[in-house]
């Protein structure tokens, strides 16, 4: 037998004369006007004259080439040079040939080509070329070059050309052209006397798509054109309307408004040195523009040397008050599309040919003749469309460097020339070059393009290179990394005696190129076919396949041996006007093509009893062993061990435990991990910030203040969630944002008294109950300014629902996330607290007062008195489950603790009974009487006092005649609830 509960009853009885009293107590879309253009171009004999209007017709054995074509290579190795340019000498002293394919010879021995194809031969052996839709009569021996659509018909000596223009030759030296044209793409105008763009010679070249320059000659007159230009065009804003470069807002291209913090804006164009893994003594630079490979290493220190070499190193960058129009008109700008890695060889500082890049010719990538170099942006009507637009030059507007992080950022305009509108800004680009993590010698190039052209909905990127590594040109050889991972060039024995390896990656980073295509003919071509008839040997459409379509084995040479060139393209994307899209490329340079090992982390590590545990994997393609190292903060590397490379290029696990006595508790630390192979090639370095251990502790207490393991329905629980960051007061960091949430258990009524306080009891945040989501949400006040070394508490109270199902659990578990003032993120989950909803047997209520009445009449015979009022019922609640073979039951016992007594005296009144069933139980101080018994059934409350009546069960007072006196009596009853087996 077990006593479940005890209650005490005080009874009061008052008699006045014959009356007795008994009582008890208990505790935009623009218009397009026509253009009227009248041009007159005059040139000296043997000049090449290029227009964007109509094409020349030749009547004799003249050479007629388009600007896309290279100069012919002659069997003896000699080639014609463009006027005004001095050709470098080859090793044998002969002048090198310009790029192009061999041309067929006419009967007279002259070579004639048209754009990208051999020219038809007339009956008399003449070759005729036409790259435009025009009629031109020429009686001189000039070379005439234009660019456009070809229509040739040859019958004997007759040549029929479909034209829309009439051109009249006024003299051998003057060519007059009247034209009305509408061009929606860029055209390039080239004369024999042009030099590469950005050179410092007296002759200035014309950027792709621009109008011919005024010719300084008595025989030549400037073109005279009349244009009615609207205020805007579907191809972008007018260059003339843009204004000063410093006022161009390029922030649309930035990921972060503070991205340029730590950067310096450059006034002259130079490279930024970056670290590589080889120990050859070379210096590597991130660089934009032309850089002559004939330079000496010392010439990089000469601020004026660009004038001698015709390149861009140290060339002044535009001032911020320079207008875009004047920059474009001046043509002395650096082209952002020709980004590169430049290598200064480890040779005598004054020796020539001390620089290595990979653009033809000798690093002068922007020569008008070499169109197959650099970044190109293309537009089309669909992903499956041919290009309807190809970008021209991208003059750098602003250039920023960060020498500490080895980063270089160029902002440039994408300029196009539209015959109807003039110079247009198709958009802007931001090209950012930066090292990849800690892989020495590998960089990531981010190319972000902001579109201001509303004509075509689809955009794609391409990057093509006509290879020329250190003047080796046709000897450059390309090898595969295998599995479409990329390709590399490997040149043995450069001028400093060390090999050179250049790798272009196609996988393993965001926004990688989708396709690669290599060729060994016509590497000067643009990467996309334009309009479907300006044919490119690379990609006919914006989504054309690469070549080879299935990659060859790793370290196998591609069969591009005659004249290597290649182009990468990305996946075409739908791009709305004003949108920004991004493409990325990764490049690496070193002194050998050995592949470095690769290391990965499984996670950020974890605290253990022995210290801090970090795990991950490594793999290496060619070494028998690798060595694992780690560094704590800026300390010396510590070798963990040597691991055998059992399976080449296969992930192998590693584990590192840093003992807890190696770092100071309560502060931030950095752990860097890497592996090296047998050639001492380092893998990428992975870094983990080791922060103090974050602990989140949740507790739940019962009404007595003890941790609640079980609770009864309608009882109240108190919850506490403690967030402890582990930082010590010496740390200077603070909380930035803190969010604490807890899924609210459905067994509980809505919470009350929600608070967010610190360890000193100050309210530092707010907490609410989100009823729709059934969660408690707490956060730190924005102005809390709380050191992260301070503890944070979330507290609240919750009452168990009356109908909560017993033996089920109330579960609580909190999650915390946020950031510190250091911008480091943190998150964690508390322990889980579980409280069982216990089956209970208890008094639900017990009366504190049982009133028998006042002014009771003292009878001359024995008389019964029944209670006339009780303040609360005598009730029991039993929520236990009862089933066979062990059913449950309970009973209530009653006993006098203090008999009815006149207050302040020893005068007692006996005769207190309890009628139960058929028995009248006399209540005494000595024995307990069973006044009620019941089996456990449905868990509902049992109101025992509801059965009390004069004729039924309940308390009554039986007073024999002559035993009562006129006074007030009071006494105390003890109620006992007991869990007993049935029938006991």
């Amino acid at each position: 037998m077990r006593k479940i509960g005890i209650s005490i009853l005080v009874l009061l009885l008052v008699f006045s004369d014959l009356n007795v009293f008994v009582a008890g107590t208990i505790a935009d879309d623009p218009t397009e006007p026509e253009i009227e253009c009248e041009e007159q171009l005059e040139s000296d004999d043997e000049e090449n004259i290029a227009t964007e209007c109509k094409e020349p017709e030749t009547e004799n054995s003249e050479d007629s080439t388009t600007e896309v074509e290279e100069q012919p290579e002659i069997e003896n190795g000699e080639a014609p040079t463009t006027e005004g340019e001095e050709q470098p000498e080859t090793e044998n002293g002969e002048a090198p040939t310009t790029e192009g394919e061999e041309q067929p010879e006419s009967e007279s021995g002259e070579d004639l080509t048209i754009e990208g194809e051999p020219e038809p031969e007339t009956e008399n052996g003449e070759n005729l070329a036409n790259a435009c839709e025009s009629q031109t009569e020429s009686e001189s021996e000039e070379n005439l070059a234009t660019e456009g659509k070809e229509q040739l018909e040859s019958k004997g000596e007759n040549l029929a050309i479909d034209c829309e223009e009439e051109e009249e030759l006024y003299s051998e030296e003057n060519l007059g052209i009247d034209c009305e044209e509408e061009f929606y793409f860029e055209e390039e105008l080239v004369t024999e006397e042009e030099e590469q763009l950005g050179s410092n010679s007296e002759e200035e070249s014309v950027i792709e798509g621009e109008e011919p320059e005024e010719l300084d000659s008595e025989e030549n007159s400037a073109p005279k054109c009349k244009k009615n230009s609207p205020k805007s065009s579907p191809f972008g804003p007018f260059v003339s309307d843009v204004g000063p470069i410093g006022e161009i807002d390029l922030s649309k291209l930035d990921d972060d408004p503070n991205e340029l913090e730590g950067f310096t804006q450059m006034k002259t164009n130079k490279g930024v040195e970056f670290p590589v893994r080889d120990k050859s003594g070379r210096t590597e630079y991130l660089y934009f523009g032309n850089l002559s490979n004939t330079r000496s290493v010392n010439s990089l220190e000469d601020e004026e040397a660009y004038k001698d070499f015709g390149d861009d190193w140290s060339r002044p960058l535009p001032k911020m008050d320079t207008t875009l129009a004047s920059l474009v008109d001046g043509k002395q700008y650096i082209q952002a599309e020709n980004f590169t890695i430049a290598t200064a060889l480890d040779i005598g500082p004054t020796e020539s040919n001390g620089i290595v890049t990979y653009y033809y010719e000798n690093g002068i990538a922007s020569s008008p003749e070499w169109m197959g170099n650099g970044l190109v942006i293309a537009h089309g009507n669909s992903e499956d469309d041919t290009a309807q637009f190809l970008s021209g030059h991208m003059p750098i507007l602003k250039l920023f460097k960060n020498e500490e992080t080895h980063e270089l950022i160029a902002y440039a305009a994408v300029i196009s020339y539209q015959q109807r509108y003039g110079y247009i800004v198709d958009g802007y680009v931001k090209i950012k070059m930066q090292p990849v993590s800690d892989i020495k010698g590998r960089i990531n190039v981010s190319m972000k393009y902001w579109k201001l052209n509303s004509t075509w909905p689809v955009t794609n990127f391409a990057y093509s290179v006509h290879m020329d590594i250190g003047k080796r040109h046709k000897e450059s050889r390309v090898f595969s990394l295998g599995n479409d991972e990329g390709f590399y060039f490997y040149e043995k024995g450069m001028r400093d005696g060390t090999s050179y390896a250049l790798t272009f990656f196609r996988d393993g980073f965001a926004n990688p190129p989708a396709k690669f295509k290599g060729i060994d003919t016509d590497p000067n071509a643009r990467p996309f076919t334009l309009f479907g008839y300006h044919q490119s040997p690379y990609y006919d459409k914006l989504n054309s396949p690469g070549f080879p379509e299935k990659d060859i084995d790793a370290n196998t040479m591609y069969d591009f041996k005659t004249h290597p060139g290649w182009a990468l393209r990305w996946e075409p994307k739908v791009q709305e006007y004003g949108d920004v899209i991004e493409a990325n490329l990764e490049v690496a340079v070193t002194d050998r093509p050995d592949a470095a090992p690769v290391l990965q982390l499984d996670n950020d590590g974890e605290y253990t009893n022995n210290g801090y545990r970090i795990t991950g994997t490594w793999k290496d393609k060619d070494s028998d062993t690798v060595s694992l190292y780690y560094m704590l903060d800026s300390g010396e590397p510590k070798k963990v061990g040597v691991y055998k490379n059992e399976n080449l290029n296969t992930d192998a696990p590693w584990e590192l435990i840093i003992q807890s006595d190696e770092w100071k508790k309560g502060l931030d630390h950095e752990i860097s991990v890497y592996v090296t192979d047998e050639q001492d090639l380092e893998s990428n370095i992975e870094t983990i910030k080791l922060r103090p251990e974050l602990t989140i502790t949740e507790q739940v207490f019962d009404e007595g203040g003890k941790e609640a393991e079980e609770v009864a329905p309608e009882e109240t629980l108190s919850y506490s969630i403690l967030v402890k960051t582990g930082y010590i007061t010496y740390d200077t960091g603070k909380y930035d944002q803190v969010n604490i949430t807890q899924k609210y258990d459905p067994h509980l009524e809505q919470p009350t008294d929600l608070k967010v306080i610190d360890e000193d009891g100050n309210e530092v945040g707010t907490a609410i109950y989100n009823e729709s989501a059934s969660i408690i949400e707490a956060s730190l006040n924005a102005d809390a300014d709380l050191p992260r070394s301070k503890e944070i508490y979330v507290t609240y109270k919750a009452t168990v629902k009356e109908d909560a199902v017993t033996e089920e659990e109330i579960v609580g578990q909190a999650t915390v996330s946020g950031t510190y003032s250091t911008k480091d993120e943190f998150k964690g989950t508390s322990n889980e607290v579980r409280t069982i909803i216990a089956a209970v047997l208890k008094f639900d209520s017990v009366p504190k007062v049982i009133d028998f009445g006042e002014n009771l009449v003292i009878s001359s015979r024995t008389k019964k008195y029944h209670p006339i009022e009780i303040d609360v019922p005598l009730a029991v609640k039993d929520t236990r489950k009862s089933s066979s073979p062990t059913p449950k039951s309970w009973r209530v016992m009653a006993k006098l603790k203090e008999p009815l007594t006149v207050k302040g005296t020893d005068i007692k009144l006996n005769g207190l009974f309890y009628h139960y069933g058929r028995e009248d139980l006399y209540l005494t101080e000595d024995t307990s009487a069973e006044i009620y018994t019941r089996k456990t059934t449905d868990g509902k409350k049992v109101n025992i006092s509801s059965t009390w009546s004069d004729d039924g069960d309940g308390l009554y007072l039986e007073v024999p005649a002559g035993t009562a006196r006129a006074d007030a009596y009071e006494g105390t009853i003890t109620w006992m609830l007991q869990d007993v087996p049935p029938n006991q």
Side-chain angles (χ1 to χ4, degrees):
M1 183 183 301
R2 181 167 65 89
K3 293 183 180 180
I4 303 302
I6 297 177
S7 298
I8 299 174
L9 176 68
V10 178
L11 301 178
L12 300 177
L13 177 64
V14 180
F15 287 93
S16 177
D17 294 328
L18 295 178
N19 299 325
V20 179
F21 169 77
V22 180
T25 62
I26 257 195
D28 113 41
D29 202 7
T31 61
E32 301 180 357
E34 293 295 329
I35 299 173
E36 299 179 6
C37 177
E38 296 180 6
E39 301 183 39
Q40 292 183 345
L41 302 179
E42 300 175 9
S43 70
D44 294 334
D45 287 345
E46 299 187 13
E47 284 187 339
N48 289 332
I49 302 176
T51 78
E52 287 203 70
C53 297
K54 306 304 174 184
E55 296 200 352
E57 172 184 304
T58 61
E59 296 181 353
N60 51 21
S61 300
E62 296 172 326
D63 289 344
S64 180
T65 63
T66 67
E67 64 183 13
V68 177
E69 285 293 316
E70 306 170 5
Q71 296 294 329
E73 293 182 354
I74 307 216
E75 292 182 1
N76 62 7
E78 296 180 355
T81 62
T82 55
E83 289 188 23
E85 287 186 19
E86 181 177 330
Q87 298 293 328
E89 292 186 354
T90 60
E91 294 179 2
N92 60 10
E94 296 181 355
T97 63
T98 55
E99 283 301 305
E101 299 179 359
E102 291 187 6
Q103 303 176 3
E105 290 187 0
S106 67
E107 291 182 2
S108 63
E110 296 182 28
D111 295 335
L112 304 174
T113 65
I114 63 171
E115 183 172 303
E117 297 181 13
E119 299 177 357
E121 218 177 89
T122 64
E123 290 183 0
N124 63 2
E126 293 179 348
N127 291 330
L128 303 177
N130 177 14
C132 196
E133 296 176 33
S134 65
Q135 283 185 339
T136 304
E137 294 184 2
S138 174
E139 297 177 357
S140 69
E141 296 181 359
E142 296 174 351
N143 292 326
L144 306 179
T146 66
E147 188 177 67
K149 182 177 181 180
E150 302 179 30
Q151 294 183 355
L152 299 177
E153 295 182 7
S154 178
K155 295 181 180 180
E157 295 182 356
N158 298 323
L159 175 64
I161 303 177
D162 186 10
C163 320
E164 295 178 358
E165 249 185 50
E166 294 182 0
E167 301 180 358
E168 182 176 355
L169 182 66
Y170 297 109
S171 69
E172 288 186 345
E173 298 178 351
N174 296 319
L175 178 65
I177 300 174
D178 295 330
C179 51
E180 277 188 19
E181 298 181 350
E182 294 182 1
F183 284 114
Y184 296 84
F185 56 94
E186 295 186 3
E187 295 285 346
E188 208 172 299
L189 308 179
V190 185
T191 70
E192 272 193 310
E193 294 192 5
E194 282 182 319
E195 288 188 324
Q196 48 137 58
L197 186 65
S199 71
N200 196 45
S201 70
E202 295 178 359
E203 300 286 338
E204 293 184 345
S205 61
V206 183
I207 69 165
E208 184 171 3
E210 72 185 51
E211 297 178 289
E213 287 296 297
E214 181 175 336
L215 302 176
D216 296 331
S217 170
E218 294 180 0
E219 294 83 15
N220 298 327
S221 60
K224 298 177 181 179
C225 295
K226 294 180 181 179
K227 288 190 179 180
N228 297 320
S229 298
K231 292 184 178 179
S232 61
S233 82
F235 306 104
F238 298 118
V239 167
S240 58
D241 291 342
V242 172
I245 290 172
E247 296 179 9
I248 302 174
D249 183 5
L250 300 170
S251 60
K252 180 91 171 179
L253 293 163
D254 294 333
D255 296 324
D256 186 326
N258 299 319
E259 185 172 354
L260 292 176
E261 285 188 5
F263 282 79
T264 302
Q265 184 168 357
M266 302 172 66
K267 294 182 179 180
T268 59
N269 182 50
K270 292 183 179 180
V272 169
E273 185 177 344
F274 72 100
V276 294
R277 70 190 187 200
D278 67 62
K279 301 175 176 62
S280 63
R282 296 170 176 170
T283 304
E284 308 290 348
Y285 298 93
L286 307 177
Y287 183 71
F288 286 99
N290 299 326
L291 183 58
S292 174
N293 288 186
T294 63
R295 276 178 174 262
S296 66
V297 175
N298 264 7
S299 71
L300 299 180
E301 304 298 323
D302 185 348
E303 298 292 331
E304 301 294 324
Y306 69 91
K307 298 177 181 179
D308 298 327
F309 291 98
D311 61 14
D312 296 324
W313 187 284
S314 294
R315 182 180 294 278
L317 289 156
K319 297 180 180 179
M320 292 302 96
D321 59 356
T322 303
T323 64
L324 183 57
S326 63
L327 176 67
V328 172
D329 290 341
K331 304 177 186 65
Q332 299 298 313
Y333 50 72
I334 296 100
Q335 298 173 18
E337 67 267 27
N338 299 132
F339 55 81
T340 187
I341 292 176
T343 302
L345 298 175
D346 185 24
I347 61 175
T350 60
E351 293 183 40
S352 61
N353 302 317
I355 305 299
V356 173
T357 60
Y358 51 83
Y359 287 123
Y360 188 82
E361 176 184 23
N362 288 335
I364 307 300
S366 65
S367 171
E369 298 168 353
W370 316 139
M371 301 177 64
N373 281 328
L375 171 66
V376 169
I377 293 170
H379 299 313
N381 292 309
S382 69
E383 295 180 2
D384 195 42
D385 193 11
T386 55
Q388 303 299 310
F389 169 94
L390 294 178
S391 63
H393 294 319
M394 302 177 187
I396 291 179
L397 309 179
K398 302 176 183 179
L399 188 62
F400 296 86
K401 67 177 179 179
N402 188 324
E403 293 182 333
E404 182 177 346
T405 58
H406 313 290
E407 296 176 87
L408 192 62
I409 298 178
Y411 295 87
V414 181
I415 304 297
S416 68
Y417 181 81
Q418 306 297 334
Q419 187 70 16
R420 171 172 291 185
Y421 301 109
Y423 288 112
I424 300 296
V425 181
D426 172 74
Y428 294 99
V429 294
K430 172 183 151 187
I431 301 177
K432 179 177 183 178
M433 293 191 283
Q434 60 182 339
V436 175
S437 185
D438 290 302
I439 305 177
K440 292 182 178 179
R442 181 165 172 172
I443 67 166
N444 180 281
V445 183
S446 165
M447 299 162 280
K448 300 183 72 174
Y449 166 64
W450 176 16
K451 183 180 180 184
L452 299 180
N453 184 323
S454 61
T455 303
W456 299 284
V458 175
T459 301
N460 203 356
F461 293 78
Y463 180 71
S464 60
V465 177
H466 181 177
M467 291 302 298
D468 185 7
I469 296 178
K471 301 179 67 175
R472 296 195 172 192
H473 192 204
K474 292 185 178 182
E475 285 70 38
S476 299
R477 297 291 179 258
V478 57
F479 300 83
S480 173
L481 290 178
N483 299 319
D484 294 323
E485 292 181 7
F487 53 96
Y488 65 91
F489 294 82
Y490 182 47
E491 304 295 334
K492 296 181 179 180
M494 303 298 286
R495 293 198 67 246
D496 57 0
T498 304
S499 298
Y500 174 91
L502 179 71
T503 305
F504 294 86
F505 297 92
R506 295 177 50 200
D507 196 11
F509 52 94
N511 310 310
K515 298 296 179 182
F516 159 82
K517 187 169 184 178
I519 59 174
D520 56 5
T521 57
D522 198 17
N524 287 331
R526 309 300 299 279
F528 290 109
T529 293
L530 183 63
F531 297 144
Y533 57 82
H534 288 281
Q535 196 70 28
S536 168
Y538 292 112
Y539 303 108
D540 285 336
K541 298 181 178 181
L542 298 181
N543 63 355
S544 290
F547 181 82
E549 292 192 40
K550 183 178 180 181
D551 201 3
I552 61 177
D553 292 338
N555 302 314
T556 302
M557 187 171 71
Y558 290 106
D559 192 23
F560 310 131
K561 303 175 182 177
T562 304
H563 200 169
W566 54 269
L568 292 167
R569 76 155 178 85
W570 281 253
E571 291 292 359
K573 295 180 180 179
V574 174
Q575 185 183 20
E576 299 293 336
Y577 171 88
D579 286 352
V580 174
I581 60 175
E582 181 178 10
N584 292 80
L585 177 63
E586 293 198 354
V587 188
V589 63
T590 184
D591 59 353
R592 58 187 181 276
D594 302 322
V598 177
L599 179 136
Q600 290 183 324
L601 297 174
D602 289 338
N603 47 49
D604 288 339
E606 61 183 355
Y607 282 93
T608 67
N609 293 334
N610 297 326
Y612 197 75
R613 179 175 177 265
I614 308 172
T615 60
T617 59
W618 61 267
K619 65 179 178 181
D620 186 85
K621 292 182 178 180
D622 48 25
S623 293
D624 293 331
T625 61
V626 299
S627 299
L628 177 66
Y629 293 85
Y630 77 94
M631 293 183 295
L632 184 61
D633 296 326
S634 300
E636 290 296 319
K638 296 184 179 180
K639 189 171 184 178
V640 179
V642 178
Y643 297 80
K644 287 187 177 181
N645 195 4
E646 302 286 353
N647 299 295
L648 296 180
N649 204 30
T650 302
D651 288 334
W654 57 266
E655 178 182 89
L656 164 64
I657 296 179
I658 303 177
Q659 300 300 316
S660 56
D661 58 0
E662 293 187 46
W663 72 87
K664 183 176 178 61
K665 303 298 185 295
L667 298 174
D668 284 338
H669 303 278
E670 281 191 352
I671 301 173
S672 300
V673 187
Y674 64 95
V675 292
T676 62
D677 63 12
E678 292 173 326
Q679 289 78 35
D680 291 329
L681 294 180
E682 290 183 5
S683 72
N684 52 304
I685 298 177
E686 296 294 334
T687 301
I688 296 173
K689 179 168 281 190
L690 173 60
R691 293 194 292 262
E693 186 173 11
L694 173 70
T695 56
I696 306 163
T697 306
E698 181 161 356
Q699 292 178 289
V700 57
F701 303 96
D702 61 20
E703 293 175 345
K706 297 180 179 179
E707 290 200 31
E709 296 181 358
E710 62 179 26
V711 65
E714 299 185 271
E715 289 185 351
T716 299
L717 297 172
S718 296
Y719 283 85
S720 172
I721 301 167
L722 167 62
V723 179
K724 189 174 183 180
T725 64
Y727 285 98
I728 58 177
T729 54
Y730 179 77
D731 176 76
T732 59
K734 296 183 179 182
Y735 291 103
D736 183 17
Q737 294 181 344
V738 180
N739 298 297
I740 305 169
T741 60
Q742 174 155 306
K743 186 72 176 175
Y744 198 65
D745 194 282
H747 294 97
L748 301 174
E749 301 284 358
Q750 289 194 10
T752 60
D753 200 20
L754 291 89
K755 293 181 181 179
V756 180
I757 59 177
D758 64 12
E759 61 189 42
D760 301 320
N762 303 312
E763 289 202 25
V764 293
T766 57
I768 62 170
Y769 173 59
N770 186 333
E771 186 174 3
S772 61
S774 296
I775 57 174
I776 291 176
E777 299 173 327
S779 60
L780 203 63
N781 292 336
D783 58 352
D785 195 32
L786 190 66
R788 61 183 177 183
S789 58
K790 291 279 188 179
E791 298 174 358
I792 298 176
Y793 292 86
V794 176
T795 62
Y796 63 93
K797 293 181 179 180
T799 300
V800 183
K801 291 180 178 178
E802 180 181 2
D803 59 354
V805 179
T806 59
E807 298 185 15
E808 291 189 357
E809 291 182 319
I810 301 171
V811 181
Q813 187 172 37
T815 58
V816 177
S817 63
T819 56
Y820 298 125
S821 58
T822 57
K823 303 305 178 184
D824 292 323
E825 297 180 354
F826 64 90
K827 60 181 179 180
T829 304
S830 75
N831 58 301
E832 188 177 70
V833 291
R834 293 179 174 269
T835 306
I836 298 174
I837 303 174
V840 295
L841 173 64
K842 68 173 185 176
F843 283 113
D844 188 72
S845 61
V846 176
K848 296 180 180 179
V849 176
I850 300 176
D851 188 358
F852 283 83
E854 298 181 0
N855 300 318
L856 300 178
V857 177
I858 298 176
S859 177
S860 58
R861 59 182 178 176
T862 299
K863 186 174 181 177
K864 291 183 179 181
Y865 300 92
H866 294 273
I868 62 174
E869 182 182 1
I870 61 175
D871 58 345
V872 294
L874 177 61
V876 173
K877 187 166 187 177
D878 183 6
T879 61
R880 301 172 300 170
K881 293 182 180 180
S882 180
S883 60
S884 297
T886 56
K888 294 181 173 57
S889 64
W890 51 270
R891 67 185 179 186
V892 177
M893 308 291 289
K895 179 182 179 181
L896 272 179
K897 182 178 181 181
E898 295 178 359
L900 289 169
T901 306
V902 175
K903 190 174 182 179
T905 70
D906 294 331
I907 302 172
K908 298 180 180 180
L909 179 65
N910 296 320
L912 187 61
F913 291 85
Y914 192 99
H915 181 76
Y916 179 58
R918 297 180 181 179
E919 295 185 69
D920 290 298
L921 305 172
Y922 182 53
L923 301 184
T924 68
E925 298 175 80
D926 299 327
T927 58
S928 300
E930 182 182 284
I931 59 98
Y932 193 88
T933 184
R934 187 183 179 95
K935 291 182 179 180
T936 298
T937 54
D938 55 9
K940 293 183 179 180
K941 180 172 65 176
V942 177
N943 188 343
I944 299 173
S945 58
S946 65
T947 63
W948 292 0
S949 66
D950 292 352
D951 299 327
D953 292 342
L955 282 171
Y956 68 89
L957 181 64
E958 184 175 282
V959 181
T963 59
R965 52 180 290 181
D967 216 328
Y969 293 83
E970 64 180 18
T972 302
I973 297 177
T974 298
W975 307 99
M976 292 171 287
L977 176 61
Q978 297 178 343
D979 172 22
V980 295
N983 303 321
Q984 180 173 333

